[in-house]
Amino acid sequence: MMKEKSISASKASLVFFLCQMISALDVPLDSKLLEELSQPPTITQQSPKDYIVDPRENIVIQCEAKGKPPPSFSWTRNGTHFDIDKDAQVTMKPNSGTLVVNIMNGVKAEAYEGVYQCTARNERGAAISNNIVIRPSRSPLWTKEKLEPNHVREGDSLVLNCRPPVGLPPPIIFWMDNAFQRLPQSERVSQGLNGDLYFSNVQPEDTREDYICYARFNHTQTIQQKQPISVKVFSMDSLNDTIAANLSDTDIYGAKPVTERPPVLLTPTGSTSNKVELRGNVLLLECIAAGLPTPVIRWIKEGGELPANRTFFENFKKTLKIIDVSEADSGNYKCTARNTLGSTHHVISVTVKAAPYWITAPRNLVLSPGEDGTLICRANGNPKPSISWLTNGVPIAIAPEDPSRKVDGDTIIFSAVQERSSAVYQCNASNEYGYLLANAFVNVLAEPPRILTPANKLYQVIADSPALIDCAYFGSPKPEIEWFRGVKGSILRGNEYVFHDNGTLEIPVAQKDSTGTYTCVARNKLGKTQNEVQLEVKDPTMIIKQPQYKVIQRSAQASFECVIKHDPTLIPTVIWLKDNNELPDDERFLVGKDNLTIMNVTDKDDGTYTCIVNTTLDSVSASAVLTVVAAPPTPAIIYARPNPPLDLELTGQLERSIELSWVPGEENNSPITNFVIEYEDGLHEPGVWHYQTEVPGSQTTVQLKLSPYVNYSFRVIAVNEIGRSQPSEPSEQYLTKSANPDENPSNVQGIGSEPDNLVITWESLKGFQSNGPGLQYKVSWRQKDVDDEWTSVVVANVSKYIVSGTPTFVPYEIKVQALNDLGYAPEPSEVIGHSGEDLPMVAPGNVQVHVINSTLAKVHWDPVPLKSVRGHLQGYKVYYWKVQSLSRRSKRHVEKKILTFRGNKTFGMLPGLEPYSSYKLNVRVVNGKGEGPASPDKVFKTPEGVPSPPSFLKITNPTLDSLTLEWGSPTHPNGVLTSYILKFQPINNTHELGPLVEIRIPANESSLILKNLNYSTRYKFYFNAQTSVGSGSQITEEAVTIMDEGYSEILFATSPVMHTVRPTFYKVQPLYPRIRNVTTAAAETYANISWEYEGPDHANFYVEYGVAGSKEDWKKEIVNGSRSFFVLKGLTPGTAYKVRVGAEGLSGFRSSEDLFETGPAMASRQVDIATQGWFIGLMCAVALLILILLIVCFIRRNKGGKYPVKEKEDAHADPEIQPMKEDDGTFGEYRSMSAWTGKKMDKEKKRKGSCASSSEADPVFTKAKSVRSDRSNFFKRSGDQYSNIRSETSYTRRKARQSSELRRASSVSASLCQEEKKSDKWIYRHGSRRHASEQQIMGLDEGSNSQAGHPPPFHQPLSCNSVRGSLARQHSSLPHRFSQTPDYSSDSEDTQSSNHRK
């Protein structure tokens, strides 16, 4: 399939690049097919570029190639033709290009040094090998030299030079002593990279005469030894003694004591140095310093950090090692040596160069006639390598012309190729540090499709597991593959199938209905072919009745069931295991068809029993535990463990055997089943007893086998079903003679701990296994498949030996043999080990990604050559991460994911990808040491998928025939939205669905008005989004059109959008239940909320409120019970509020919003009067006045009696005047009051009956008391005169008094009217006081309409006009106590209730 890619190259380059993408064919490794197809030569095996050979063996120069027809081979040597037939020592292997040089006839290997190149040629082209440089290895001897002893003062530094002979390849250096033991190294003493041994400061213990430098030449497996070097360290004490013995008392003598010194670098010298290293190699930098105390080395990189995961410190941090260096590692590296006296440093300037390395190596092209293609050869290096092309081994500039070929730098472009265009092309990339050579052929073939999978092949799988059906094919041009179900079925497509590039059809989850015939069709322009295969899906095997846990008494019978169900065409096999091992070979175990029965159960039968069912396609298992317990004991018999055996005796002593006899102890009602014999080795492990053997309970003697060099003691333990007895007393001791070891160490292993060593370990022999004194081990090793001699070393009684200087991860043959003072053990067997692993050198190549569907991709890679793995291949890791979503174009935090594929796999599946997204990945090889470098990041994109549901669907603005829909785009579009699909249908009263209407809406729309709907009808809506792949999941919603306009008003009165400026969309609710007619009556700081509820009983209500127009959350108050009113308190005066009522438990069920406004704050609320001076003074005056009145009342009560005038008034009472009593604390009441009022006040007088009346609690009664006191004083002053003239003037006085009282009442009425105008709230809050005052003002005489049985006056409605009218009509007298209007400014509920009571 053609891919587009934007490149800034010529038009022809673009065309040919695209053609390459579609034309590269792989030829399957099918033997029949390969025999039939012509193919240019391909080099399959060749010797390394730098080939160092062993001069003692024949030289073998490899060159293997394949092709059709088979290629012929020729060689060049040092650039000229090498005629093999003229050299009797050189032969070429049959059907191969490999040369064998025979040097066993006295010919020296040096005669065949040179540069060789192999050419493989057939009629389709010629391939060439690398230039192979042949050099024989050299391991020269050390030159003879006379080494003077080194005399060094304690604390001084010392360097022992090795100066090994120059060999090929360079030798591995190490220092040992005469006993072949490695010299210990530390921070003070260490070996440098050049092989010299450095002492930062010498100590007396460094004195020795056997410092020996060894050079090992791996190619020849030889070790050369330098003459031993002697070192003599003079301590200060011994030096002073020597000086004192040779000087007179008058001489000044004495060496200076050991002095501490600051660090000085021994290597490298100077303050700076330079080093050049090649990319990919290991960079080694070294700093060794002298000083006392011993300096400590620290490394840094100037202007940067040491690379993580690639930096290692060796040789006690004196060596800095950076693996796999790159150009980024260039820079200045500083080592600092420091001790307590100071520091010194050295800067090494590192430059990293690079031999050429591939960016894109050319790949073989298989084209059909007339097709186009390209060969691309891209390499990099430092300096930049030059690219040159050859065709069939000849520079392309002088090669025969080919009109279909055009060279454009690192690219060869082919157009309209013909069969004569077939050839092998070589790309050479070189710079001063090396070269790369790659062969790539262009093979022009015209082949119709062929299917290589056998016809009618049968595939069988278990249901619910993946099924892979093969269709291996070949053709040129590359055929297209299609799969069909059946012979003439429809083509297979969709997410339920996975189509692989190699033609394989994958059914991820095969079902029973997947069984059938599948047809694979391959076609290209030259023809078409097809193949049929069969798939059978079987039922899984199941254990329908599993074994159960059982507790069984001894000697009883245990039975486990294992009933299975399986596909009738599969034959199951049932296996029973005990503790994951085979069942004991015991006739008590009976295996039936569906069960396992154990007869006569014993304690040994305790354990876990597993039933395993296997078929050719699957396997299942189930387990159960059997616990054996003792049977209930018989009370009359007591069972116990036996008593220990007695009288142990040794007889028949021989070198390797002895006879032991004993007398059994008491059985204790349980027969002895067996005797256990144990021994003690008093020579090697005194006090430790070991198992020797056991015999039946009927036997009391045994012949025991003995080992040499063991001091034996024996004891016997009796065993019955209850348990083991105590051990017997030990026998006498018997010492056997020494002998050679009988056995060698076990568990011999060879595993490297570092890339350049081999750690050989084994399990040492136990003391009695040594068979004699002086136990040692002979450790031998040699490199496998190299035909080397064995290298051996004898070590003490240890269990480990380290071989240093080994190549990285090569196999070794290893054997460890035991020996003692009497001789060797038998010849040991060989085991294979490996030297140490190192991190892989290269990354997997040719990483390709095949996107299977929108959430799954398959990644392929070429395996890393095992030599480059440099260790045990663990597998491959794929790192992949999402770069961005292609629909949103917004990057996010990169979260890398890792998948590990075990073993030598070359592909893997990447699941869980997000559709329509861009991803990157790389692959790394993993060995036992860690991960190798990452392959170049590969970018791939997932196709579109179906979108997620729209984020919301809201329906609003219902009218008689329309609804407004609004929606949000999907949270995960998974592609480019193409449209929205809206489906809806009406629902009638019986919940039946009407016809379905479908509307397609453009993807850029977010709202829609549906018109021409039926009124008062419920509709159900289905809404989903679409991409080009298909439709996503849908969301549903329901809504109702309104009944009529009148009903619309009611609906909107309870709608949440009633009182907001911007309408909020809501889901249309069912008509019932509902809350309607929410009303509010607001005051300054509180409001009374009431509502009407229609719906089920027992609803629990709540009230939500908030400041109108505010975005703050609603405040919620719970209503106790099911009341339909609530008082909101703590409101702010002069503020507009919104309120709504809801019912608990009914999701989204609440009333519409209502708005109300609290009243403006009173002036008294603006200032805290409690802090005002005038208020404090007023309160003090009131308190003083009350105190005076209380004192006067108290004095008058104590005086008692009545005045004469009072008595006369009582005796000659005026029929129109009801006199007042002095001690009742109330006013005299006028006869003109109604009977109801008089009775009420009489009851009040009787209830209170004291001076401490309610006059002090209310300003009304305080004023009334003042009026009564004035009238009382008037009576006292009149005395008897008042009584004498009373009858003559009673009528005149009554008229005058009525006029005066009428004027006074008029002033009260005016004052009340002024109060009424101040605020309507005064009437609302203090209506009860107004009514009480009006009752007293409007007191009527006996002839008025307020007679007994009528409502009291203060229950009647009252206004200022009615007061004035009543005053004009009435001529009765009014009490003086209403001459001042009371203060009702307080609005607290307590004050209101108190005033109402008063």
Side-chain angles (χ1 to χ4, degrees):
M1 183 176 178
M2 196 173 280
K3 289 185 177 179
E4 295 183 3
K5 186 173 182 182
S6 175
I7 56 174
S8 57
S10 65
K11 192 171 183 179
S13 298
L14 175 61
V15 170
F16 289 118
F17 175 78
L18 296 176
C19 291
Q20 183 199 18
M21 298 296 291
I22 66 172
S23 303
L25 276 179
D26 290 330
V27 179
L29 299 178
D30 183 88
S31 57
K32 294 182 179 179
L33 182 64
L34 292 177
E35 291 176 1
E36 298 175 6
L37 296 178
S38 298
Q39 184 175 332
T42 301
I43 301 290
T44 58
Q45 192 174 4
Q46 57 182 314
S47 295
K49 294 179 181 178
D50 191 3
Y51 188 20
I52 300 175
V53 299
D54 191 335
R56 301 169 299 180
E57 299 178 351
N58 290 339
I59 302 174
V60 178
I61 312 175
Q62 288 185 332
C63 179
E64 303 291 342
K66 66 178 182 180
K68 182 65 178 179
S72 60
F73 297 89
S74 62
W75 285 86
T76 62
R77 178 182 176 188
N78 297 326
T80 61
H81 177 68
F82 183 29
D83 193 346
I84 299 170
D85 297 333
K86 294 183 179 180
D87 193 329
Q89 307 300 325
V90 180
T91 59
M92 184 183 295
K93 291 184 178 181
N95 301 319
S96 169
T98 299
L99 297 182
V100 179
V101 181
N102 188 355
I103 62 172
M104 297 302 182
N105 298 329
V107 179
K108 292 194 174 292
E110 287 78 0
Y112 289 92
E113 285 191 68
V115 180
Y116 294 80
Q117 189 173 42
C118 170
T119 300
R121 186 185 311 274
N122 68 7
E123 61 187 28
R124 294 236 160 196
I128 61 175
S129 70
N130 292 321
N131 287 330
I132 303 171
V133 180
I134 302 295
R135 295 185 295 170
S137 63
R138 298 180 180 87
S139 54
L141 299 176
W142 237 293
T143 57
K144 295 292 184 179
E145 58 180 330
K146 184 177 181 181
L147 301 177
E148 297 294 335
N150 291 275
H151 298 279
V152 192
R153 187 175 65 174
E154 179 184 358
D156 288 353
S157 62
L158 175 65
V159 180
L160 299 183
N161 296 316
C162 181
R163 299 192 186 96
V166 178
L168 185 69
I172 297 172
I173 307 299
F174 51 94
W175 290 79
M176 302 181 74
D177 58 14
N178 277 330
F180 296 101
Q181 297 296 318
R182 279 195 176 255
L183 295 176
Q185 298 189 17
S186 63
E187 290 185 345
R188 185 177 63 85
V189 183
S190 60
Q191 177 183 318
L193 295 177
N194 61 356
D196 294 346
L197 191 64
Y198 292 86
F199 295 78
S200 296
N201 52 79
V202 296
Q203 301 296 327
E205 59 265 24
D206 296 329
T207 298
R208 62 190 307 157
E209 297 180 352
D210 56 351
Y211 286 96
I212 305 175
C213 180
Y214 287 86
R216 184 171 71 198
F217 299 89
N218 280 340
H219 261 73
T220 58
Q221 290 295 305
T222 57
I223 298 177
Q224 303 291 351
Q225 171 185 335
K226 187 175 183 176
Q227 300 245 350
I229 301 175
S230 174
V231 174
K232 176 69 174 178
V233 180
F234 292 99
S235 66
M236 293 302 99
D237 293 339
S238 62
L239 190 58
N240 286 336
D241 292 343
T242 303
I243 294 175
N246 292 280
L247 294 178
S248 64
D249 293 340
T250 59
D251 293 329
I252 299 175
Y253 65 91
K256 296 182 181 179
V258 177
T259 58
E260 297 181 342
R261 304 187 312 281
V264 176
L265 287 176
L266 297 176
T267 182
T269 59
S271 60
T272 61
S273 59
N274 299 309
K275 184 174 180 64
V276 176
E277 192 57 78
L278 291 182
R279 179 182 184 270
N281 289 353
V282 177
L283 173 65
L284 294 173
L285 304 178
E286 180 181 58
C287 277
I288 301 178
L292 185 68
T294 303
V296 177
I297 305 297
R298 180 173 174 266
W299 291 89
I300 63 170
K301 182 180 181 183
E302 294 183 344
E305 298 289 337
L306 295 174
N309 303 324
R310 295 191 293 114
T311 301
F312 304 92
F313 298 100
E314 297 179 344
N315 198 17
F316 308 97
K317 294 192 176 181
K318 299 175 186 179
T319 302
L320 172 65
K321 177 180 177 181
I322 301 177
I323 63 174
D324 191 23
V325 295
S326 63
E327 289 85 344
D329 295 323
S330 298
N332 293 331
Y333 292 81
K334 180 179 179 182
C335 71
T336 303
R338 186 184 306 275
N339 66 9
T340 56
L341 298 184
S343 64
T344 185
H345 68 270
H346 184 92
V347 177
I348 306 174
S349 179
V350 175
T351 303
V352 179
K353 298 291 186 178
Y357 55 92
W358 290 119
I359 296 176
T360 304
R363 299 184 61 187
N364 296 333
L365 284 179
V366 178
L367 304 175
S368 60
E371 284 189 336
D372 304 332
T374 60
L375 286 178
I376 299 176
C377 176
R378 292 188 182 136
N380 201 359
N382 186 12
K384 183 76 174 178
S386 60
I387 303 293
S388 60
W389 287 95
L390 298 89
T391 177
N392 297 327
V394 178
I396 202 165
I398 60 176
E401 291 271 343
D402 185 350
S404 66
R405 179 184 68 213
K406 176 183 177 183
V407 179
D408 184 6
D410 58 6
T411 304
I412 300 181
I413 303 169
F414 299 93
S415 58
V417 296
Q418 303 300 321
E419 287 199 21
R420 63 177 179 275
S421 301
S422 297
V424 182
Y425 291 84
Q426 291 83 33
C427 173
N428 186 302
S430 60
N431 66 10
E432 60 186 280
Y433 296 105
Y435 73 93
L436 292 172
L437 179 68
N439 290 277
F441 63 70
V442 176
N443 194 15
V444 182
L445 297 173
E447 294 289 336
R450 307 184 190 187
I451 294 181
L452 309 178
T453 301
N456 293 315
K457 184 175 181 180
L458 176 62
Y459 295 88
Q460 294 180 329
V461 297
I462 293 295
D464 297 324
S465 62
L468 295 172
I469 308 174
D470 295 329
C471 181
Y473 64 91
F474 178 75
S476 179
K478 183 178 179 179
E480 294 181 356
I481 302 299
E482 293 178 332
W483 281 93
F484 296 83
R485 179 74 181 271
V487 180
K488 297 181 179 180
S490 59
I491 189 170
L492 298 181
R493 290 190 178 91
N495 293 334
E496 59 193 58
Y497 301 99
V498 179
F499 302 94
H500 296 271
D501 285 342
N502 63 356
T504 297
L505 170 66
E506 179 180 351
I507 305 175
V509 182
Q511 302 294 335
K512 289 287 289 184
D513 58 3
S514 302
T515 299
T517 301
Y518 290 81
T519 302
C520 168
V521 177
R523 58 165 58 89
N524 65 11
K525 64 183 181 181
L526 298 179
K528 165 187 170 184
T529 186
Q530 68 181 43
N531 186 37
E532 297 173 11
V533 294
Q534 306 297 323
L535 174 64
E536 291 182 359
V537 181
K538 308 292 187 180
D539 290 326
T541 305
M542 296 182 293
I543 300 177
I544 59 177
K545 196 167 185 180
Q546 299 184 355
Q548 302 295 319
Y549 170 77
K550 292 185 181 296
V551 178
I552 303 297
Q553 295 180 358
R554 295 191 194 101
S555 302
Q557 173 180 311
S559 180
F560 293 104
E561 290 187 294
C562 184
V563 181
I564 64 173
K565 179 183 178 182
H566 61 90
D567 193 283
T569 62
L570 298 178
I571 301 176
T573 58
V574 180
I575 301 174
W576 286 91
L577 302 178
K578 179 181 183 295
D579 297 329
N580 293 325
N581 295 311
E582 292 183 0
L583 291 178
D585 187 12
D586 192 334
E587 59 185 8
R588 296 181 301 109
F589 290 80
L590 305 178
V591 178
K593 178 182 178 182
D594 297 323
N595 57 34
L596 167 67
T597 302
I598 307 173
M599 310 296 294
N600 193 20
V601 171
T602 66
D603 289 339
K604 292 182 179 180
D605 300 330
D606 245 331
T608 301
Y609 291 83
T610 304
C611 167
I612 301 177
V613 184
N614 294 316
T615 69
T616 55
L617 297 180
D618 63 346
S619 176
V620 291
S621 64
S623 300
V625 175
L626 172 63
T627 300
V628 180
V629 297
T634 303
I637 301 176
I638 299 176
Y639 299 92
R641 288 184 264 183
N643 293 344
L646 307 170
D647 299 334
L648 273 66
E649 184 179 3
L650 296 176
T651 57
Q653 290 89 344
L654 299 174
E655 288 187 3
R656 292 293 182 105
S657 67
I658 197 169
E659 185 176 277
L660 172 68
S661 61
W662 62 91
V663 176
E666 288 292 333
E667 293 183 346
N668 295 329
N669 299 318
S670 181
I672 295 176
T673 57
N674 58 295
F675 292 98
V676 177
I677 293 89
E678 296 179 342
Y679 73 92
E680 175 195 24
D681 182 1
L683 187 62
H684 302 99
E685 294 179 296
V688 179
W689 290 89
H690 301 276
Y691 173 84
Q692 172 86 12
T693 187
E694 61 181 273
V695 296
S698 59
Q699 187 175 330
T700 58
T701 61
V702 63
Q703 192 76 21
L704 301 175
K705 293 183 179 180
L706 306 179
S707 295
Y709 196 56
V710 177
N711 192 13
Y712 281 100
S713 292
F714 299 96
R715 70 183 186 184
V716 182
I717 299 171
V719 181
N720 63 11
E721 287 191 358
I722 308 304
R724 297 162 61 101
S725 71
Q726 293 294 322
S728 67
E729 292 295 327
S731 70
E732 60 181 312
Q733 292 185 340
Y734 177 66
L735 178 63
T736 57
K737 294 182 180 180
S738 302
N740 291 2
D742 292 327
E743 53 187 310
N744 287 303
S746 60
N747 196 23
V748 178
Q749 293 181 332
I751 302 174
S753 61
E754 297 293 337
D756 60 349
N757 74 6
L758 172 66
V759 180
I760 303 174
T761 60
W762 60 90
E763 289 186 9
S764 301
L765 299 180
K766 299 189 182 300
F768 74 90
Q769 295 174 311
S770 63
N771 287 3
L775 178 64
Q776 293 179 298
Y777 300 99
K778 180 182 178 183
V779 183
S780 304
W781 69 92
R782 68 179 178 183
Q783 190 170 337
K784 190 175 183 295
D785 301 329
V786 183
D787 199 17
D788 289 344
E789 297 295 328
W790 287 95
T791 302
S792 301
V793 63
V794 176
V795 298
N797 188 11
V798 296
S799 60
K800 181 173 71 173
Y801 183 77
I802 301 176
V803 180
S804 301
T806 63
T808 300
F809 195 70
V810 295
Y812 279 86
E813 295 175 325
I814 302 167
K815 56 185 180 179
V816 179
Q817 187 177 24
L819 68 152
N820 61 16
D821 291 346
L822 279 77
Y824 286 88
E827 185 67 21
S829 59
E830 300 172 6
V831 298
I832 303 298
H834 285 82
S835 56
E837 298 183 71
D838 206 345
L839 292 176
M841 299 173 59
V842 300
N846 190 26
V847 177
Q848 300 291 331
V849 180
H850 170 57
V851 178
I852 297 173
N853 55 42
S854 60
T855 61
L856 182 66
K858 184 174 184 180
V859 57
H860 295 262
W861 60 87
D862 289 344
V864 173
L866 293 180
K867 288 186 178 180
S868 300
V869 175
R870 301 203 296 178
H872 295 285
L873 177 64
Q874 303 291 327
Y876 292 85
K877 284 188 177 181
V878 178
Y879 288 72
Y880 65 101
W881 62 96
K882 179 181 174 182
V883 178
Q884 68 176 15
S885 171
L886 299 178
S887 59
R888 290 189 174 87
R889 299 293 181 186
S890 60
K891 294 187 177 180
R892 64 175 186 178
H893 173 68
V894 175
E895 179 183 355
K896 289 191 176 182
K897 299 181 180 179
I898 305 173
L899 285 178
T900 302
F901 299 94
R902 298 294 180 186
N904 194 17
K905 293 194 68 173
T906 59
F907 67 90
M909 307 299 291
L910 305 182
L913 304 177
E914 295 186 17
Y916 205 49
S917 300
S918 177
Y919 280 84
K920 285 186 179 181
L921 64 77
N922 57 55
V923 186
R924 311 174 192 205
V925 67
V926 183
N927 64 11
K929 194 77 172 179
E931 299 179 10
S935 65
D937 288 350
K938 188 76 175 180
V939 179
F940 67 96
K941 298 177 181 178
T942 54
E944 294 187 61
V946 297
S948 63
S951 57
F952 65 88
L953 175 62
K954 296 181 179 179
I955 306 173
T956 184
N957 296 340
T959 65
L960 288 173
D961 61 349
S962 68
L963 291 171
T964 299
L965 282 70
E966 293 203 358
W967 58 87
S969 59
T971 307
H972 300 287
N974 295 339
V976 178
L977 295 182
T978 57
S979 63
Y980 291 100
I981 300 298
L982 173 66
K983 301 178 183 179
F984 63 95
Q985 57 191 150
I987 306 174
N988 63 15
N989 293 334
T990 59
H991 303 287
E992 296 176 345
L993 298 175
L996 189 67
V997 180
E998 180 176 329
I999 299 176
R1000 184 176 298 271
I1001 306 171
N1004 58 353
E1005 296 291 340
S1006 61
S1007 64
L1008 176 69
I1009 299 177
L1010 284 178
K1011 298 183 179 181
N1012 300 323
L1013 303 177
N1014 297 330
Y1015 72 91
S1016 187
T1017 302
R1018 180 177 295 278
Y1019 286 89
K1020 186 167 186 177
F1021 296 90
Y1022 312 86
F1023 194 69
N1024 63 297
Q1026 276 192 336
T1027 63
S1028 59
V1029 176
S1031 299
S1033 301
Q1034 65 185 13
I1035 58 174
T1036 63
E1037 191 58 84
E1038 294 185 14
V1040 182
T1041 55
I1042 64 176
M1043 184 177 299
D1044 52 38
E1045 292 302 326
Y1047 184 78
S1048 174
E1049 293 176 1
I1050 296 175
L1051 178 65
F1052 277 87
T1054 61
S1055 169
V1057 303
M1058 186 59 188
H1059 297 292
T1060 55
V1061 176
R1062 182 179 181 273
T1064 58
F1065 303 106
Y1066 64 99
K1067 297 179 180 179
V1068 178
Q1069 300 292 341
L1071 298 180
Y1072 293 100
R1074 65 177 179 174
I1075 298 173
R1076 56 195 297 268
N1077 291 347
V1078 177
T1079 58
T1080 58
E1084 289 181 24
T1085 60
Y1086 70 92
N1088 188 17
I1089 313 298
S1090 61
W1091 59 87
E1092 294 179 5
Y1093 169 67
E1094 297 176 359
D1097 294 337
H1098 309 297
N1100 296 319
F1101 300 106
Y1102 61 86
V1103 176
E1104 292 181 318
Y1105 68 99
V1107 177
S1110 172
K1111 295 183 179 179
E1112 296 180 357
D1113 293 339
W1114 291 76
K1115 298 178 181 178
K1116 188 174 182 180
E1117 299 287 346
I1118 303 299
V1119 179
N1120 293 328
S1122 57
R1123 296 182 298 176
S1124 60
F1125 64 91
F1126 186 75
V1127 178
L1128 290 177
K1129 299 179 181 180
L1131 305 180
T1132 304
T1135 304
Y1137 284 91
K1138 56 185 179 182
V1139 66
R1140 64 188 182 193
V1141 181
E1144 293 282 356
L1146 301 175
S1147 178
F1149 171 44
R1150 61 173 67 93
S1151 73
S1152 63
E1153 294 180 19
D1154 189 26
L1155 290 181
F1156 68 89
E1157 184 175 358
T1158 54
M1162 300 296 290
S1164 60
R1165 294 193 177 272
Q1166 306 302 319
V1167 181
D1168 189 0
I1169 63 173
T1171 60
Q1172 304 300 309
W1174 63 269
F1175 180 80
I1176 296 174
L1178 178 60
M1179 291 298 102
C1180 291
V1182 170
L1184 181 59
L1185 179 59
I1186 292 173
L1187 179 60
I1188 293 173
L1189 291 176
L1190 288 174
I1191 293 173
V1192 171
C1193 182
F1194 180 79
I1195 294 173
R1196 294 189 59 189
R1197 285 193 53 163
N1198 288 339
K1199 286 178 66 177
K1202 298 183 179 179
Y1203 292 100
V1205 176
K1206 175 67 175 172
E1207 295 175 358
K1208 292 180 179 180
E1209 279 194 27
D1210 292 340
H1212 306 282
D1214 190 344
E1216 296 187 18
I1217 297 176
Q1218 178 66 37
M1220 60 184 174
K1221 299 178 181 178
E1222 295 293 330
D1223 59 348
D1224 63 357
T1226 61
F1227 290 108
E1229 295 163 347
Y1230 292 96
R1231 291 174 59 193
S1232 57
M1233 288 187 177
S1234 67
W1236 186 91
T1237 304
K1239 293 178 182 178
K1240 184 73 174 177
M1241 297 190 71
D1242 286 343
K1243 292 179 181 179
E1244 190 70 19
K1245 286 188 289 181
K1246 292 178 181 179
R1247 184 178 64 84
K1248 298 181 178 177
S1250 68
C1251 180
S1253 66
S1254 61
S1255 60
E1256 297 179 8
D1258 195 305
V1260 175
F1261 292 95
T1262 303
K1263 183 63 180 177
K1265 184 173 180 181
S1266 177
V1267 174
R1268 185 201 62 188
S1269 179
D1270 292 342
R1271 293 187 61 192
S1272 178
N1273 292 335
F1274 172 75
F1275 291 140
K1276 291 177 182 179
R1277 289 194 302 268
S1278 300
D1280 294 338
Q1281 183 183 0
Y1282 172 78
S1283 178
N1284 294 331
I1285 64 173
R1286 178 177 179 274
S1287 58
E1288 298 176 0
T1289 60
S1290 60
Y1291 177 79
T1292 305
R1293 288 178 57 203
R1294 185 167 61 250
K1295 286 291 186 180
R1297 189 166 58 222
Q1298 287 180 353
S1299 300
S1300 175
E1301 295 295 337
L1302 184 60
R1303 287 194 301 274
R1304 193 180 295 270
S1306 299
S1307 65
V1308 173
S1309 174
S1311 175
L1312 290 175
C1313 290
Q1314 292 175 2
E1315 289 293 331
E1316 182 181 11
K1317 294 177 181 179
K1318 288 183 179 178
S1319 174
D1320 292 339
K1321 296 175 186 172
W1322 191 89
I1323 299 174
Y1324 178 78
R1325 298 178 181 174
H1326 309 292
S1328 60
R1329 292 185 179 177
R1330 287 274 310 273
H1331 295 162
S1333 301
E1334 290 165 0
Q1335 182 267 332
Q1336 297 186 34
I1337 295 170
M1338 294 300 296
L1340 304 177
D1341 59 6
E1342 296 177 357
S1344 68
N1345 292 329
S1346 294
Q1347 304 296 328
H1350 290 270
F1354 51 84
H1355 283 189
Q1356 304 297 327
L1358 185 64
S1359 66
C1360 293
N1361 293 331
S1362 63
V1363 171
R1364 293 191 184 100
S1366 298
L1367 290 174
R1369 292 191 301 269
Q1370 302 297 329
H1371 300 287
S1372 60
S1373 299
L1374 298 174
H1376 297 292
R1377 55 185 172 180
F1378 294 106
S1379 61
Q1380 182 175 342
T1381 303
D1383 181 11
Y1384 297 113
S1385 60
S1386 175
D1387 61 352
S1388 68
E1389 291 186 5
D1390 293 340
T1391 306
Q1392 292 179 49
S1393 61
S1394 176
N1395 290 336
H1396 292 169
R1397 289 194 302 269
K1398 295 171 185 177

